[in-house]
Amino acid sequence: MAEAPKKSSSKKTSTKKSATKKSNGSAARAAEPAETQVKMTVSDEVAIEITDMHKWYGDFHVLKDISLKVNKGERIVICGPSGSGKSTLIRCINRLEEHQKGKILVENIELTNDLKKIDEIRREVGMVFQHFNLFPHLSILENCTLAPIWVRKMPKKEAEEIAMHFLERVRIPEQALKYPGQLSGGQQQRVAIARSLCMNPKIMLFDEPTSALDPEMIKEVLDVMITLAHEGMTMLCVTHEMGFAREVANSVIFMDEGQIIEQNEPEGFFNNPQSDRTKLFLSQILH
Amino acid sequence: MVQNYVRTKMSPDMAPPATETGIIGWVMKNLLSSWLSVVLTVFGAYVIYLIVPGVVEFAIVNAIWVGKDGLDCRSIADGGRVQDGQAIGACWPYVQAYFSQFIYGRYPLEERWRVDIAMFVGVVSLIPLLIPTIPYKRENAIFLLGVYPFLVTILLTGGNIGIGNGAWGFLAILMVLGVGFVVFQAKTTQSIQISSGLKIVAAIGVAIAIVYLALGFDYGMLDVETPLWGGLLVTLVVAITGIVASFPIGIILALGRRSEMPVARLVSVIFIEFWRGVPLITVLFMSSVMLPLFLPEGVQFDKLLRVLIGVTLFSAAYMAETVRGGLQAISRGQYEGAMALGLSFWQMMGLIILPQALKLVIPGIVNAFIGLFKDTTLVLIVGLFDLLGQVQASFTDPVWSSPATSHTGYLFAAMVFWVFCFGMSRYSIFMENLLHRGHKR
């Protein structure tokens, strides 16, 4: 949140920058556990800026007048009824969906039809999907090393080291040589998170990461996401896990009919919702 | 009242009942499981009884194994040397006498070592490629796809192919276009560097020039014109060229047809629907009879080469639709997963989508290959003698004329075709099982 201690926030971003410059990879990450002690902080730097964005599917106006600013280190939870456009919104951020009007700036790069810029943004933005979207013909390890090797042009050995590092962080290094079809849903989703992290992204997008999971497995995925949040990752999560929102989000957005209805910090959002639509929604999902 | 139950003794493993295992179990399960299957079993046994003894009798029991001409396969009453009343089966000495012609056609006798070498090198380099555990797959594939075709061309034709000014002119135009493309791309999108792009263009140019020089070099070998080629040689040349060349073209067409670019899609659709809309016989006829009418006078185009191009484009259209079927089975999520990781279009296709799509349609692909292999027999109508054509041509030889000659010839041709097609079929099943591991639970 805005009143987070300024000093520590700037300090953190600067150390992170120098670390990333160093090797863009394992060394930077490996040094991090010490940093995780730093409280979740938000920097002044803007990670994502969306201004007056509109999107249509044919004649259907899915997203209307979306304006949203996300600072580095911010963790935003987006909720709302199905069909409200929340998935579409975050899919616009890495251009899986194209917006027709308005402006989206990601890491100061504007999203246009320029394929080069789109690729540049996708390298910096990780995404986790509802249905995991792991590659079934590749082993877990190959799933994780594919993008670093082909997109970052990293040597295979180094990519494998990084992949193992992140598989350990999501607590399934022993599955590295198995194939996605042999893993449970929760394990697959954790692999998907590790796969994204291997690209060392600056922003992570989560598109209903726990909606396709059995209740027992939701926790193991949320735990990984919470750890990630504590490490200062910029996160946008479409989810209905309100416990998660309360614990790590510094802002909750409620969407309906393609518009942002309400945005507030979790405390205010859950205890004192302003809009009637939000109240109705919350009354239905919180018992 | 629910009675409390506690197991005190674990029950031991027992052998299954006899009806479940062993021969009896197998018969009960597979042949006699219901009244319908009993009836079908009896009917099947009857069909086998009708066919198999007859074939065995003809091909083995009553067959003539030695002889020096057709009279050895003819009864005395018919003017031959076989005792009257003795049943006459297959006339194998005829196949033996014609065997080399069935393989090489009218390829000059003293030059056949060239065909032998081509076939030998092909087999020796193909087998390690087909066995998954043998290393150096990439080097092997590069040799087989990049070097072997030219080696075979030189060996079979004798090299010394006139590379005219037209061909060199074509190369020059290609180079100019390539350089232009690189400079244009580098200036407009900065997606490639001029120096590295030019290096690639230069490498392609050098490679084509080397191929030109290799094909045009006079090795001092006798020039064997393609009309002299025949038999299994022609069958294999047409089938393998068709299979190898149509596969990548088919993939490109399938991607084109699913592309979001209107021009690419339109071109692919027109191409595919055109070639699927005409019979192969028409394609062959057009290529050998009509095409020369459109070409300027004096421009010669080898007939076999025209057939090869026709067959390739024809089967590429079918291949495209098979591959498209596989592409359609890949979920949107796979594309999105790949795109979200920042993979480029070709990386996404080559690393994620195509490996999965092609695996799914292996049965369809091999189906197309087998169909193409058998369709090569149609080249007979444009005057090329493939294996079947060569066998049929031999029937007119009075020396080996006998009642059993044509039966024997067809049986032989059928056996050869069956061996190749069955081999492809089994290999595809082997590959399917091998690649299946990625999806198994």
Side-chain angles (χ1 to χ4, degrees):
Chain A
M1 283 158 284
E3 58 263 58
K6 266 259 173 79
K7 268 181 207 160
S8 76
S9 100
S10 58
K11 195 174 120 202
K12 186 180 171 205
T13 40
S14 67
T15 48
K16 201 165 176 202
K17 250 186 206 159
S18 61
T20 1
K21 236 180 250 166
K22 231 189 311 179
S23 84
N24 215 357
S26 60
R29 282 292 173 189
E32 237 178 33
E35 276 183 282
T36 56
Q37 306 308 325
V38 181
K39 193 76 193 114
M40 296 183 278
T41 50
V42 176
S43 111
D44 293 341
E45 290 173 69
V46 179
I48 302 170
E49 189 168 10
I50 302 175
T51 356
D52 299 330
M53 191 259 278
H54 292 257
K55 171 167 179 61
W56 287 264
Y57 280 134
D59 285 338
F60 179 53
H61 201 164
V62 253
L63 291 179
K64 298 169 194 164
D65 191 25
I66 304 281
S67 289
L68 176 66
K69 204 164 121 185
V70 182
N71 283 348
K72 280 189 184 149
E74 238 184 324
R75 299 155 307 277
I76 292 183
V77 164
I78 305 172
C79 59
S82 64
S84 59
K86 42 197 195 317
S87 287
T88 313
L89 170 59
I90 69 165
R91 287 155 61 87
C92 281
I93 293 169
N94 66 351
R95 196 66 169 196
L96 289 182
E97 303 281 356
E98 198 178 325
H99 63 283
Q100 277 86 30
K101 226 179 122 187
K103 202 167 157 187
I104 301 180
L105 279 173
V106 182
E107 294 285 325
N108 285 324
I109 305 167
E110 191 183 348
L111 268 174
T112 57
N113 279 325
D114 188 344
L115 285 176
K116 250 196 118 199
K117 282 189 178 154
I118 294 174
D119 282 344
E120 213 171 308
I121 286 171
R122 283 177 180 164
R123 279 199 289 272
E124 306 304 333
V125 179
M127 187 163 196
V128 175
F129 300 87
Q130 182 177 0
H131 295 290
F132 331 134
N133 295 350
L134 295 177
F135 307 129
H137 63 302
L138 300 177
S139 71
I140 300 305
L141 189 62
E142 288 166 333
N143 263 281
C144 293
T145 56
L146 184 91
I149 290 174
W150 289 91
V151 179
R152 294 250 191 249
K153 312 287 177 208
M154 199 181 276
K156 191 175 173 206
K157 195 112 190 284
E158 195 188 335
E160 278 175 356
E161 276 166 23
I162 293 173
M164 286 312 293
H165 169 72
F166 283 110
L167 287 174
E168 266 158 40
R169 284 242 317 243
V170 300
R171 296 188 296 280
I172 34 176
E174 70 280 2
Q175 313 283 6
L177 298 178
K178 287 193 183 168
Y179 287 86
Q182 296 166 291
L183 268 54
S184 73
Q187 290 174 323
Q188 290 196 40
Q189 193 61 297
R190 284 186 279 151
V191 171
I193 294 173
R195 178 176 77 174
S196 289
L197 293 177
C198 285
M199 283 294 280
N200 199 15
K202 298 198 174 88
I203 301 166
M204 284 290 283
L205 308 173
F206 292 85
D207 187 1
E208 305 206 26
T210 56
S211 304
L213 296 177
D214 290 343
E216 296 186 291
M217 298 170 178
I218 290 178
K219 190 174 175 296
E220 61 188 51
V221 171
L222 286 181
D223 283 347
V224 169
M225 290 169 65
I226 290 167
T227 320
L228 204 55
H230 283 288
E231 286 165 11
M233 175 66 78
T234 311
M235 292 164 76
L236 267 84
C237 310
V238 172
T239 182
H240 292 139
E241 296 298 330
M242 291 307 148
F244 172 77
R246 277 181 201 273
E247 187 173 345
V248 300
N250 42 13
S251 174
V252 181
I253 289 175
F254 175 69
M255 283 184 74
D256 192 22
E257 293 176 5
Q259 298 162 74
I260 295 179
I261 305 286
E262 193 163 341
Q263 175 169 13
N264 202 347
E265 57 187 63
E267 204 63 14
F269 181 85
F270 291 112
N271 300 338
N272 187 20
Q274 301 297 311
S275 137
D276 290 343
R277 187 69 192 84
T278 317
K279 284 177 195 163
L280 179 67
F281 178 77
L282 287 176
S283 74
Q284 277 163 347
I285 62 163
L286 305 171
H287 307 288
Chain B
M1 263 299 273
V2 178
Q3 204 173 356
N4 191 11
Y5 168 79
V6 178
R7 184 178 280 279
T8 50
K9 213 176 93 194
M10 303 309 279
S11 64
D13 289 346
M14 290 187 294
T19 48
E20 287 299 306
T21 54
I23 297 170
I24 300 170
W26 186 89
V27 169
M28 292 303 286
K29 205 180 269 175
N30 291 290
L31 300 179
L32 308 170
S33 61
S34 70
W35 276 113
L36 181 65
S37 86
V38 171
V39 171
L40 287 176
T41 302
V42 171
F43 179 72
Y46 180 64
V47 170
I48 291 173
Y49 165 75
L50 281 184
I51 295 173
V52 173
V55 172
V56 171
E57 226 164 68
F58 176 81
I60 298 169
V61 178
N62 295 333
I64 311 290
W65 295 95
V66 280
K68 56 183 195 300
D69 56 35
L71 296 181
D72 286 323
C73 301
R74 218 179 244 282
S75 64
I76 292 174
D78 209 10
R81 302 193 194 99
V82 180
Q83 289 293 322
D84 282 335
Q86 189 186 328
I88 297 174
C91 185
W92 293 121
Y94 143 76
V95 172
Q96 216 176 349
Y98 265 98
F99 187 77
S100 63
Q101 218 186 80
F102 291 163
I103 302 293
Y104 305 100
R106 292 190 293 127
Y107 208 89
L109 269 176
E110 60 279 11
E111 300 294 326
R112 285 183 182 173
W113 58 270
R114 283 153 49 177
V115 182
D116 294 338
I117 290 181
M119 286 187 182
F120 177 76
V121 173
V123 169
V124 164
S125 52
L126 183 64
I127 285 176
L129 195 67
L130 295 182
I131 300 173
T133 49
I134 295 182
Y136 302 114
K137 285 275 177 287
R138 182 184 307 194
E139 291 78 359
N140 202 333
I142 288 173
F143 171 76
L144 211 51
L145 295 173
V147 180
Y148 183 67
F150 302 109
L151 181 73
V152 168
T153 313
I154 292 166
L155 271 172
L156 293 186
T157 60
N160 201 8
I161 297 164
I163 303 292
N165 291 333
W168 288 109
F170 171 74
L171 177 59
I173 292 170
L174 202 67
M175 287 298 99
V176 171
L177 286 178
V179 171
F181 176 77
V182 166
V183 173
F184 178 76
Q185 281 286 316
K187 281 273 184 306
T188 51
T189 65
Q190 278 113 37
S191 59
I192 43 175
Q193 286 181 326
I194 290 194
S195 58
S196 59
L198 288 182
K199 262 182 213 156
I200 295 172
V201 172
I204 294 173
V206 170
I208 295 179
I210 289 174
V211 168
Y212 277 4
L213 293 174
L215 291 179
F217 186 75
D218 185 1
Y219 297 89
M221 288 192 285
L222 185 70
D223 186 15
V224 183
E225 304 262 348
T226 55
L228 293 176
W229 303 14
L232 189 64
L233 173 62
V234 162
T235 300
L236 289 179
V237 166
V238 175
I240 293 174
T241 311
I243 287 170
V244 171
S246 70
F247 190 49
I249 300 177
I251 291 175
I252 300 282
L253 285 171
L255 293 179
R257 192 163 187 171
R258 282 174 58 83
S259 164
E260 280 163 15
M261 291 180 280
V263 177
R265 193 168 58 231
L266 188 70
V267 169
S268 305
V269 168
I270 291 174
F271 184 95
I272 292 170
E273 296 305 335
F274 172 78
W275 289 99
R276 284 207 307 171
V278 290
L280 182 56
I281 291 197
T282 316
V283 174
L284 295 176
F285 253 128
M286 287 289 280
S287 69
S288 71
V289 181
M290 299 292 282
L291 196 65
L293 297 180
F294 303 131
L295 290 175
E297 207 157 326
V299 174
Q300 281 251 335
F301 216 156
D302 187 89
K303 195 199 271 174
L304 182 65
L305 186 60
R306 279 177 285 164
V307 165
L308 288 179
I309 293 171
V311 166
T312 299
L313 297 182
F314 182 82
S315 60
Y318 282 87
M319 189 56 60
E321 288 299 277
T322 306
V323 173
R324 192 166 69 95
L327 290 173
Q328 252 149 355
I330 305 300
S331 73
R332 184 92 203 115
Q334 292 291 307
Y335 290 87
E336 287 176 355
M339 283 193 282
L341 284 172
L343 295 183
S344 72
F345 175 83
W346 290 109
Q347 286 173 338
M348 172 175 81
M349 282 301 167
L351 297 167
I352 307 298
I353 307 300
L354 281 175
Q356 295 183 60
L358 294 179
K359 200 226 87 180
L360 284 174
V361 292
I362 285 177
I365 292 172
V366 175
N367 202 17
F369 287 170
I370 290 177
L372 173 60
F373 189 85
K374 293 188 291 189
D375 279 349
T376 55
T377 50
L378 291 174
V379 299
L380 181 64
I381 61 146
V382 294
L384 291 172
F385 288 88
D386 75 312
L387 175 64
L388 186 65
Q390 205 74 52
V391 168
Q392 279 176 321
S394 72
F395 295 162
T396 53
D397 182 359
V399 176
W400 282 101
S401 109
S402 84
T405 301
S406 63
H407 297 95
T408 312
Y410 283 129
L411 185 64
F412 173 74
M415 285 188 329
V416 174
F417 276 103
W418 185 81
V419 164
F420 276 98
C421 294
F422 187 67
M424 283 193 263
S425 161
R426 294 316 297 181
Y427 185 71
S428 93
I429 290 172
F430 167 72
M431 274 322 273
E432 267 174 67
N433 290 336
L434 187 79
L435 296 175
H436 193 62
R437 59 164 188 211
H439 295 258
K440 78 174 175 211
R441 281 197 73 90

